[in-house]
Amino acid sequence: MRLSAEFDMRHRGHFLFYGKDFIDYKLERSYDKDRKEFLRILSNFMTDVLEDNCPPSWKKCKRPFWEELIFTHLPHVMRITPDQKQVETFLSQLKIFIQWLDKRVGTTWFAVVDKYSKEAISDLKVCEQVLNTIFSKDFPQLHQKGFSPEQQIEIANQSFELCIKSRDSLFEVRSIIDQITVLTEFNTNITYYVKGLPTHLIVPELIMNGCIGRKSGTLLWEWFQTEGIYPQKGRKYLKLNS
């Protein structure tokens, strides 16, 4: 049997334990786009993120598996959508899948996943709103038919080239001062005062992964590139930049 391209050969062992479950679950509602997207995210988490640390079976999964999936991986792969419903859709799909899985293989994960989902939804919705707002500002025609980002990317690059200093890293929001977001960089604990972010949505302890730059003649930094927006509870699973 030839595995599809989405399953790397080095993960053959993992595929053997969860692959059939994924296929059977998908085939029950093969035209359900939400189910298909959910399985794509979960599969990506298990093969590309956990890699060789992926549990050998569903019964060997532990609480951190579901915690990292919800609080760190979901916001990392979150897509920009007009309705901003990806958080709600994913968590709903996850709970449906866990109910199905518990019955199929005899696990008892629903109570744990339901608890994490309830804890996470409000914080993840903030992450989703911040992410969408930043991208909508950087790419105003993002959701229009035929959108091409090249022009906006070129404008951003030209602005970034004027910076005399830059930092690409993970930051934690410390506070909001008027229209300024106060960020602390993970590795150095250096504080940066950043303009241009949606301060009406951003809250303290939010984690932001991206690039900032400072131009000559100003003390304020600007936010230039967004890699991810995370809730505080996802921090322990984030890999810090060197």
Side-chain angles (χ1 to χ4, degrees):
M1 176 180 178
R2 183 177 181 180
L3 303 183
S4 61
E6 65 181 294
F7 295 107
D8 190 287
M9 290 299 292
R10 62 182 170 159
H11 303 304
R12 184 189 294 270
H14 298 153
F15 173 77
L16 291 176
F17 101 74
Y18 70 78
K20 188 175 187 307
D21 294 326
F22 281 8
I23 293 171
D24 289 348
Y25 185 67
K26 179 181 177 181
L27 289 177
E28 286 187 3
R29 298 181 63 178
S30 59
Y31 297 103
D32 189 328
K33 293 182 180 179
D34 290 338
R35 179 169 294 199
K36 181 178 179 180
E37 173 65 6
F38 161 75
L39 289 173
R40 183 193 68 81
I41 293 173
L42 181 56
S43 175
N44 173 261
F45 173 63
M46 298 173 76
T47 57
D48 295 345
V49 177
L50 297 183
E51 295 184 319
D52 295 331
N53 293 319
C54 188
S57 72
W58 292 116
K59 291 183 178 181
K60 294 293 184 180
C61 289
K62 298 185 182 300
R63 287 173 178 261
F65 176 95
W66 305 109
E67 187 179 43
E68 182 176 3
L69 171 66
I70 293 170
F71 288 95
T72 306
H73 186 64
L74 173 58
H76 179 70
V77 299
M78 196 177 293
R79 292 181 173 178
I80 309 302
T81 59
D83 58 6
Q84 298 186 34
K85 295 290 186 180
Q86 191 168 27
V87 167
E88 295 175 13
T89 301
F90 178 86
L91 294 179
S92 176
Q93 287 292 320
L94 175 60
K95 287 189 286 186
I96 294 171
F97 174 72
I98 295 302
Q99 287 180 312
W100 179 89
L101 188 68
D102 283 351
K103 292 179 181 179
R104 179 179 173 94
V105 301
T107 49
T108 56
W109 283 120
F110 182 78
V112 173
V113 170
D114 185 53
K115 178 177 179 292
Y116 282 150
S117 296
K118 289 176 180 176
E119 291 175 358
I121 189 165
S122 60
D123 289 341
L124 289 177
K125 286 297 294 181
V126 171
C127 296
E128 185 173 26
Q129 290 171 345
V130 171
L131 187 70
N132 275 266
T133 301
I134 291 174
F135 272 85
S136 294
K137 177 186 176 184
D138 293 342
F139 304 99
Q141 299 176 324
L142 180 62
H143 300 301
Q144 295 183 14
K145 187 176 181 180
F147 165 72
S148 178
E150 285 77 10
Q151 183 177 1
Q152 291 301 127
I153 291 175
E154 179 60 28
I155 293 173
N157 288 340
Q158 291 175 0
S159 180
F160 183 70
E161 288 173 359
L162 299 176
C163 294
I164 58 173
K165 291 185 177 181
S166 64
R167 184 67 177 163
D168 185 357
S169 190
L170 284 161
F171 305 89
E172 181 178 346
V173 176
R174 289 300 184 184
S175 62
I176 304 296
I177 304 175
D178 293 328
Q179 301 300 310
I180 306 302
T181 305
V182 183
L183 302 177
T184 300
E185 199 271 332
F186 271 30
N187 289 339
T188 64
N189 286 324
I190 295 176
T191 297
Y192 300 90
Y193 295 82
V194 183
K195 65 178 182 178
L197 288 169
T199 53
H200 62 294
L201 296 174
I202 291 175
V203 295
E205 296 192 341
L206 197 68
I207 296 171
M208 306 183 68
N209 186 9
C211 183
I212 59 175
R214 183 169 68 83
K215 296 175 182 176
S216 178
T218 178
L219 297 176
L220 296 178
W221 294 70
E222 297 178 49
W223 188 266
F224 279 97
Q225 182 176 336
T226 308
E227 298 295 335
I229 308 293
Y230 306 90
Q232 180 64 213
K233 198 164 181 178
R235 175 173 182 149
K236 62 177 136 178
Y237 300 107
L238 291 169
K239 297 178 181 179
L240 307 184
N241 295 333
S242 58

